[in-house]
Amino acid sequence: MSSLANTGTKKGFSINDFNTRKKEHVPISMVTCYDFVFAKIVEETDIDIILVGDSLGNVIAGYENTIPVTVEQMIYHTEIVHRGAPSKFLVIDMPFMSYHVSVEDSLRNAGTMIKKSGAHAVKLEGGVEFYDVVKALVRASIPVMGHLGLTPQSVHKLGGYTVQGREEDKRRKLIDDAKSLVDAGACSLVLEKVPESLAKEISEAITIPTIGIGAGVHCDGQVLVLHDMLGLDAGFSPKFLKKYANLHEITKNALNDYSREVRDKQYPGKEHSYA
Ligand code: KIV
């Protein structure tokens, strides 16, 4: 068996815990991760789930949105994260247009992503429209996490990154979407940037856990983008985001200290030099 073999997590979170956590009201913690150094740190923590999100398009690649992200890029980053955090339950995002063409194409893409990356589940954006896709993936033993509300791959359709589900018809549609994902066999559901009351209604109406980002306290779990919650991007401060550290400031100060010490010939010192 290769070191990338997906044996499930020996300790920590496993697929069965989605149900257990919902029943026992123990919130699920999820964070994104895209590289080896951070994966090794997350591996040492109590975080339940790592999501290799297609937000890597923004965070790592500097694209304007997640639309250009490819299946190959997702596999590359997820395989790296799996090496750094082998015990964590790992979810890989299906990128834009990798599950939109046909059920057969979606199966092939998801199958390749699971086989090559070491992930335990895929995540995809959308509801009722993707019922057949989700059902086929689940039938092929590929666990699926849904994603509703603000779905960044639909940014051109939505016209921006605003809160979703404020109007009554959109609210109803999101509830129907959530129920459809449950019927299709999804194991859990990300709710992004929806009113707290809607997230509460959905969370109470369905049997699988909701994992919120900008969706309030009533979700069955929470997810944040790692780089955002560590405060690496000084210019990104949406209302829902809590910055648990200020790594932008810390990193900038460290770099300036280093630069100054090089200029002043303080670094390297005797203790950093070989005899
Ligand atoms: O791609 C991503 O990071 C996500 C989370 C924001 C849920 O989908």
Side-chain angles (χ1 to χ4, degrees):
M1 201 175 271
S2 91
S3 63
L4 266 186
N6 185 353
T7 51
T9 48
K10 280 191 205 75
K11 54 189 166 66
F13 200 92
S14 84
I15 186 73
N16 301 318
D17 289 316
F18 284 110
N19 265 335
T20 316
R21 291 292 193 86
K22 174 104 184 171
K23 273 198 203 112
E24 294 177 0
H25 305 288
V26 181
I28 296 165
S29 60
M30 182 162 87
V31 73
T32 68
C33 190
Y34 320 103
D35 69 10
F36 187 66
V37 170
F38 275 125
K40 284 202 298 179
I41 297 174
V42 181
E43 173 76 0
E44 292 175 19
T45 71
D46 296 330
I47 294 284
D48 293 313
I49 302 175
I50 294 179
L51 167 67
V52 183
D54 63 352
S55 52
L56 65 83
N58 308 95
V59 177
I60 303 297
Y63 300 145
E64 207 175 298
N65 52 53
T66 57
I67 289 172
V69 176
T70 64
V71 166
E72 290 72 26
Q73 287 169 335
M74 291 309 307
I75 291 171
Y76 174 75
H77 284 277
T78 307
E79 191 212 341
I80 287 170
V81 169
H82 182 55
R83 257 198 301 281
S87 83
K88 290 294 176 187
F89 191 88
L90 198 54
V91 181
I92 183 170
D93 247 343
M94 294 195 74
F96 182 58
M97 289 313 291
S98 69
Y99 55 98
H100 304 67
V101 176
S102 67
V103 169
E104 197 182 314
D105 191 52
S106 312
L107 266 172
R108 196 168 294 120
N109 283 326
T112 304
M113 290 169 77
I114 291 287
K115 278 165 90 110
K116 290 192 174 174
S117 73
H120 301 82
V122 299
K123 177 168 82 58
L124 55 83
E125 298 179 5
V128 175
E129 301 81 3
F130 294 98
Y131 176 87
D132 290 343
V133 169
V134 174
K135 201 159 177 63
L137 296 183
V138 173
R139 196 184 305 125
S141 302
I142 299 176
V144 178
M145 180 179 280
H147 184 158
L148 294 174
L150 173 60
T151 45
Q153 291 172 16
S154 304
V155 61
H156 295 324
K157 184 173 133 190
L158 299 174
Y161 295 101
T162 49
V163 175
Q164 300 295 307
R166 283 207 161 118
E167 305 82 0
E168 191 48 39
D169 57 331
K170 297 205 173 120
R171 200 180 162 98
R172 279 257 64 82
K173 163 88 169 90
L174 284 173
I175 294 168
D176 291 346
D177 281 340
K179 289 180 176 167
S180 170
L181 286 168
V182 177
D183 288 347
C187 63
S188 55
L189 169 59
V190 167
L191 287 175
E192 180 164 356
K193 256 186 153 178
V194 297
E196 189 176 47
S197 62
L198 175 58
K200 181 173 191 285
E201 191 173 344
I202 292 175
S203 301
E204 286 172 0
I206 63 176
T207 49
I208 60 173
T210 56
I211 302 180
I213 173 163
V217 74
H218 302 291
C219 292
D220 303 297
Q222 298 292 328
V223 55
L224 283 175
V225 168
L226 181 68
H227 292 54
D228 296 344
M229 57 95 74
L230 293 179
L232 274 160
D233 184 349
F236 188 67
S237 301
K239 181 178 166 73
F240 71 79
L241 176 61
K242 177 169 177 182
K243 295 189 182 184
Y244 286 82
N246 188 350
L247 291 199
H248 178 266
E249 199 60 25
I250 289 172
T251 307
K252 212 170 68 177
N253 289 342
L255 289 168
N256 278 331
D257 287 350
Y258 164 63
S259 167
R260 194 188 57 254
E261 289 196 2
V262 169
R263 258 195 325 270
D264 296 348
K265 298 195 170 189
Q266 285 177 354
Y267 177 84
K270 270 256 171 287
E271 68 276 29
H272 307 114
S273 305
Y274 300 102

